Amino acid sequence: MKIEQIYTGCLAQGAYYIQSGNEAVIIDPLREVDSYIEKAKENGATIKYIFETHFHADFVSGHVDLAKKTGAEIVFGPTATTEFDSYIGTDDEIFEVGKAKIKLLHTPGHTMESSTFLLIDEDGKEKAIFSGDTLFIGDVGRPDLAVKSDLTEEDLAGFLFDSLRNKIMTLPDHVVVYPAHGAGSACGKNMSSETWDTLGNQKKTNYALRADMSKKEFIKEVTEGIMPPPQYFAKN
């Protein structure tokens, strides 16, 4: 099995290439997609799925072009609606990639469709999570970017607390966390320059994963000190 983080420093963004056997998936692709296609070709693989952890406001995703060029299926988490062809997955749904599996964990909070993808290797071991903007290294996703008339940032922060505690922190400590962004992104307030870590270490060092933190404390922590979002985020 192959896992490759494709990190673009100017955007502080991580896309991911995962391959098992002769099948591959791309997670959160950037606009220019030829490099993903070439990578799969070099490795004798077909791109089967394009997983989007959430709708992105800070960069243009290449999912539609990549799907057109490869025939791969675009997958979003629950509650997502699109004007292009896509598959809306369900919580805990399993997707097979070669002899590996990818499990969709619905983790709303940053946005309501936000999902984390759990990679289960060929031996059935929980290997890694691709956490999008739900969990960063040293931080968690901002809960103020998807505020709508019926949802406040406090509401979203509450959803994020539940997602982290019930979906992510219950996973084994050895699981590797691969987020969508690192330091320099506007999607968090305290992100590390590191681009991956173990979940166990994040439980020890990430302020938002403190074991004895109440939901009320969490909401206060993650909503304080947030810089105003770039004006184009709402339009995107």
Side-chain angles (χ1 to χ4, degrees), residues 20-199:
S20 174
N22 61 0
E23 292 184 333
V25 305
I26 307 294
I27 299 178
D28 291 337
L30 290 179
R31 179 68 178 85
E32 300 298 330
V33 301
D34 288 346
S35 62
Y36 308 122
I37 295 170
E38 186 61 31
K39 189 177 295 293
K41 183 178 179 182
E42 290 173 356
N43 287 283
T46 299
I47 299 175
K48 185 177 183 180
Y49 295 113
I50 303 157
F51 292 113
E52 289 284 356
T53 57
H54 63 296
F55 293 118
H56 307 288
D58 53 335
F59 68 90
V60 179
S61 177
H63 54 331
V64 173
D65 282 350
L66 187 57
K68 287 179 179 178
K69 290 184 176 184
T70 64
E73 189 167 43
I74 300 169
V75 178
F76 279 92
T79 78
T81 58
T82 69
E83 295 180 0
F84 48 85
D85 289 340
S86 64
Y87 178 82
I88 308 304
T90 58
D91 191 27
D92 293 334
E93 185 168 356
I94 298 288
F95 299 84
E96 295 188 357
V97 183
K99 294 184 178 179
K101 294 179 173 64
I102 293 178
K103 186 176 184 179
L104 189 160
L105 306 177
H106 187 210
T107 50
H110 177 67
T111 64
M112 289 308 293
E113 81 286 346
S114 284
S115 296
T116 294
F117 294 97
L118 170 63
L119 176 62
I120 302 168
D121 69 16
E122 293 93 338
D123 297 320
K125 183 179 181 181
E126 295 169 326
K127 184 82 172 178
I129 53 171
F130 301 86
S131 55
D133 287 16
T134 296
L135 175 61
F136 298 125
I137 307 307
D139 201 1
V140 292
R142 290 173 59 162
D144 64 316
L145 301 181
V147 170
K148 297 180 180 179
S149 59
D150 59 337
L151 286 174
T152 67
E153 64 182 54
E154 288 78 14
D155 293 329
L156 288 165
F159 286 125
L160 184 59
F161 177 87
D162 292 337
S163 294
L164 292 164
R165 264 63 186 176
N166 300 331
K167 291 288 185 176
I168 292 180
M169 292 177 68
T170 57
L171 295 170
D173 286 352
H174 69 259
V175 165
V176 177
V177 179
Y178 289 114
H181 293 292
S185 168
C187 293
K189 63 178 182 178
N190 190 45
M191 282 183 270
S192 169
S193 59
E194 299 297 326
T195 61
W196 64 273
D197 195 8
T198 64
L199 181 57

